[in-house]
Amino acid sequence: MLNLYNTLSKSKVEFKSLNPGKVGMYSCGPTVYGYVHIGNVRAYLLSDVVRRYLEYLGYEVRLIKNITDVGHLTDDEVAQGDSGEDKIEKAAAKEKKSPEEIARFYEQYFKQLESQLNIEPAQYFPRATAHVPQMIKVIEGLIEKGFAYEKNGNVFFDVTKFADYGKLSGNTLENLKVGARLEEHPDKKNPWDFALWLKAPAGHLMKWPSPWSVGYPGWHIECSAMSTEYLGSTLDIHTGGEDNIFPHHEAEIAQTECFTGQKFVRFWLHNRHLLVDGKKMSKSKGTLYTLEDIKDKGFSAMDLRLFFLSSHYRSQMDFSWTALEQAHKNLQKINDFVLNLQAIAKSNSTSADDNFSIESFKINFEAAMDDDLNTPLALSSLYEFITQANKQIDEDALTSSDAKKILSFWEKANHVFGFILAGQAEIPEEIKQLIAQREKARAGKDFQKSDDLRALIEKKGFILEDTKDGMKVKKTDSRN
Ligand code: AMP
Ligand code: ZN
């Protein structure tokens, strides 16, 4: 029984989909004006893990992830997400490109990054620029029903008309009146109202005709318009980073529920931020890392994947190179284990009792994942299982049918972990010849020559391990 922590109810609740066997899920995607940083990766991995585990449980998941290629403004931290400059236009001016070139370039970068991290692609990545008519339709409906108003070509959502405003974030009107730093707009009735449509100022490049002005949509409206377009009025799951709770998701709820008259999202899932040295990642402090920075230090995208899974998505997480190194070692351990199993599975070894059980691993793995996607616990049950199985392997007690049985469950569990493991490295002809020479030297008891040859082989990137089953050759870990 899967329980998920719902930000809306602030409790763990048993997950059941609206339509049996099918899940409609929406994840806030990137604003495509710059390279995605590893903090963002934590948000995309949350969405991937939920989806993969639902698939493991047998659900058919339809995931929609938007590409924000318009109108996401720079000052969204202080206001309702509708003041400041347009991030994409700002990047376009800086890089001397058109906003469209900027958006397409960084969208491509984002999709390649997801693929390197083995994040399953969404069924559809709707672009905001291609859905302006749908947004206009929702805004028209909101004006018609009295939830929104127009002034001087700008349209705002009147927050006082939605009694449930604040139910997700706790930022009710009462609380907002006291503390929030909200920016005044001369056309707003109340400072906490948020923009649905803004008239384009002179020189603004990305703009569309509308019943109110030539302008552009507010940031929040795109997710309401696109999620309901592809998933219907009520979604099973909506995910995003914790900074999205307010104002973005609070605004999504207000405008969608007022438009459709129905509950918008059944389960809201939010990951906590990734910090560096206890602080927000910052470009100016040099702590805003990209996947390329990680790879420059010799780590792989899979090391990063395991690093993230080693922490629960709702816990505080700090990035450190030491933690990444540990993730790298753990991935090596998993990799070696699977390679060993594959070799044993091929060996046709038998024994009187073919009874190595995967049952406890399966039970622990599922219990961990059922408890709000506790990936660190699921991983520790895997490490524990590897230790047990390795003991059997060392004692020659694991048969080929045991190995096949483990591999078959491993494939299912790894559908959830999503690791792409490095297969057995090809041994080049040159190394094979050096190994043969070393064997000959050993047979002739020329141990000096044998040691020299081993050193030469290691220099060329391969390690020899003399085991009781004979000699094994492995490619040197690129990190060592
Ligand atoms: P953005 O492109 O800024 O809209 O961010 C894309 C996603 O990444 C959103 O779901 C954010 O909440 C999330 N996010 C941004 N920074 C971090 C961070 N440091 N750690 C985790 N998630 C983040
Ligand atoms: Zn969104």
Side-chain angles (χ1 to χ4, degrees):
M1 182 177 90
L2 171 61
N3 284 289
L4 295 174
Y5 183 88
N6 191 347
T7 312
L8 192 62
S9 64
K10 291 166 192 57
S11 58
K12 285 185 202 169
V13 185
E14 183 185 347
F15 177 78
K16 281 207 182 97
S17 59
L18 198 57
N19 298 310
K22 293 193 170 152
V23 175
M25 179 169 158
Y26 186 88
S27 298
C28 284
T31 308
V32 281
Y33 68 100
Y35 294 108
V36 167
H37 57 69
I38 58 169
N40 302 135
V41 168
R42 192 173 198 202
Y44 305 132
L45 272 179
L46 162 63
S47 154
D48 194 47
V49 168
V50 187
R51 181 219 185 137
R52 284 170 173 275
Y53 191 55
L54 287 167
E55 286 172 347
Y56 172 96
L57 294 176
Y59 288 101
E60 193 185 307
V61 183
R62 179 166 167 79
L63 171 67
I64 305 295
K65 196 178 282 182
N66 64 306
I67 301 289
T68 301
D69 56 353
V70 60
H72 185 161
L73 303 171
T74 48
D75 279 353
D76 48 70
E77 279 174 23
V78 281
Q80 287 283 48
D82 50 23
S83 37
E85 292 172 274
D86 182 304
K87 285 178 179 173
I88 295 174
E89 292 203 3
K90 201 174 160 194
K94 199 168 146 218
E95 296 189 30
K96 298 196 172 42
K97 291 187 179 143
S98 70
E100 194 182 8
E101 282 171 323
I102 290 289
R104 297 299 167 263
F105 176 82
Y106 289 110
E107 177 182 323
Q108 200 49 32
Y109 173 82
F110 163 72
K111 287 187 176 158
Q112 280 169 5
L113 170 124
E114 283 215 324
S115 144
Q116 291 182 66
L117 284 154
N118 202 23
I119 292 175
E120 291 192 314
Q123 271 80 2
Y124 192 46
F125 292 94
R127 289 176 182 153
T129 48
H131 294 79
V132 176
Q134 284 88 336
M135 297 181 217
I136 290 177
K137 201 177 107 208
V138 178
I139 300 170
E140 280 178 325
L142 289 171
I143 296 177
E144 224 166 82
K145 292 177 182 170
F147 292 109
Y149 57 92
E150 185 265 345
K151 195 169 176 200
N152 294 328
N154 299 308
V155 184
F156 296 97
F157 185 92
D158 184 345
V159 176
T160 62
K161 297 276 167 62
F162 182 52
D164 276 352
Y165 192 76
K167 68 178 170 182
L168 184 73
S169 63
N171 283 327
T172 55
L173 292 185
E174 301 271 283
N175 293 342
L176 282 175
K177 278 178 202 163
V178 182
R181 291 191 293 153
L182 292 172
E183 204 152 283
E184 297 282 351
H185 185 293
D187 296 335
K188 278 186 187 180
K189 279 192 201 161
N190 315 294
W192 42 85
D193 291 348
F194 58 86
L196 296 169
W197 188 267
L198 289 166
K199 184 176 167 182
H204 197 94
L205 300 174
M206 301 177 92
K207 53 193 171 191
W208 292 262
S210 79
W212 317 287
S213 61
V214 174
Y216 55 92
W219 164 33
H220 317 302
I221 193 71
E222 68 168 276
C223 286
S224 292
M226 297 196 286
S227 59
T228 51
E229 169 88 3
Y230 296 102
L231 296 167
S233 304
T234 302
L235 326 181
D236 285 306
I237 299 176
H238 192 316
T239 72
E242 60 179 343
D243 59 318
N244 282 162
I245 298 173
F246 187 85
H248 188 47
H249 291 163
E250 195 70 68
E252 277 188 39
I253 294 178
Q255 57 203 9
T256 320
E257 296 197 348
C258 289
F259 179 66
T260 65
Q262 288 171 50
K263 187 181 178 79
F264 175 39
V265 172
R266 301 175 59 246
F267 285 81
W268 283 98
L269 269 61
H270 294 99
N271 62 282
R272 288 197 71 181
H273 270 187
L274 174 73
L275 304 178
V276 179
D277 301 328
K279 294 191 196 76
K280 207 177 156 176
M281 290 196 295
S282 141
K283 213 172 203 163
S284 58
K285 291 198 188 92
T287 56
L288 198 147
Y289 300 118
T290 61
L291 180 59
E292 283 63 39
D293 296 323
I294 301 296
K295 287 166 129 185
D296 284 349
K297 296 245 182 185
F299 293 103
S300 68
M302 285 303 113
D303 293 336
L304 187 65
R305 188 172 174 108
L306 196 148
F307 163 77
F308 278 116
L309 298 189
S310 306
S311 176
H312 187 255
Y313 74 93
R314 281 192 299 111
S315 340
Q316 171 100 21
M317 188 176 200
D318 224 22
F319 177 78
S320 75
W321 294 106
T322 321
L324 194 58
E325 187 74 53
Q326 186 56 50
H328 171 77
K329 288 194 178 124
N330 288 339
L331 191 66
Q332 288 283 118
K333 185 158 87 179
I334 299 170
N335 200 43
D336 288 349
F337 176 60
V338 173
L339 285 177
N340 272 342
L341 288 178
Q342 286 167 346
I344 297 169
K346 272 195 215 138
S347 71
N348 283 328
S349 56
T350 48
S351 121
D353 49 1
D354 254 8
N355 58 2
F356 189 77
S357 170
I358 54 150
E359 211 42 41
S360 67
F361 170 43
K362 184 168 182 280
I363 289 169
N364 293 338
F365 168 80
E366 289 178 0
M369 293 305 295
D370 278 346
D371 185 13
D372 193 28
L373 312 166
N374 196 333
T375 51
L377 203 60
L379 279 171
S380 40
S381 66
L382 170 65
Y383 301 145
E384 213 172 281
F385 177 73
I386 291 180
T387 308
Q388 278 170 24
N390 278 344
K391 224 168 121 213
Q392 300 277 310
I393 294 174
D394 289 346
E395 288 165 11
D396 257 345
L398 203 91
T399 66
S400 106
S401 69
D402 283 332
K404 282 179 193 151
K405 200 165 61 184
I406 299 173
L407 282 169
S408 148
F409 181 66
W410 163 249
E411 258 169 48
K412 290 193 188 113
N414 195 36
H415 177 74
V416 181
F417 293 128
F419 299 130
I420 300 173
L421 297 177
Q424 186 78 59
E426 268 300 303
I427 312 292
E429 200 45 46
E430 182 199 5
I431 303 292
K432 282 187 189 157
Q433 284 184 16
L434 290 172
I435 293 171
Q437 285 175 32
R438 178 174 172 267
E439 291 292 286
K440 220 167 138 192
R442 263 160 60 101
K445 301 214 182 315
D446 185 349
F447 296 116
Q448 184 59 48
K449 190 169 178 194
S450 156
D451 285 351
D452 290 349
L453 282 163
R454 174 200 283 272
L456 182 62
I457 292 166
E458 279 185 14
K459 223 168 131 192
K460 289 183 183 284
F462 288 83
I463 304 178
L464 302 184
E465 278 175 9
D466 295 307
T467 71
K468 60 179 170 24
D469 298 329
M471 199 199 50
K472 282 190 181 157
V473 193
K474 272 182 19 187
K475 202 161 171 20
T476 319
D477 181 356
S478 60
R479 295 277 319 138
N480 299 327

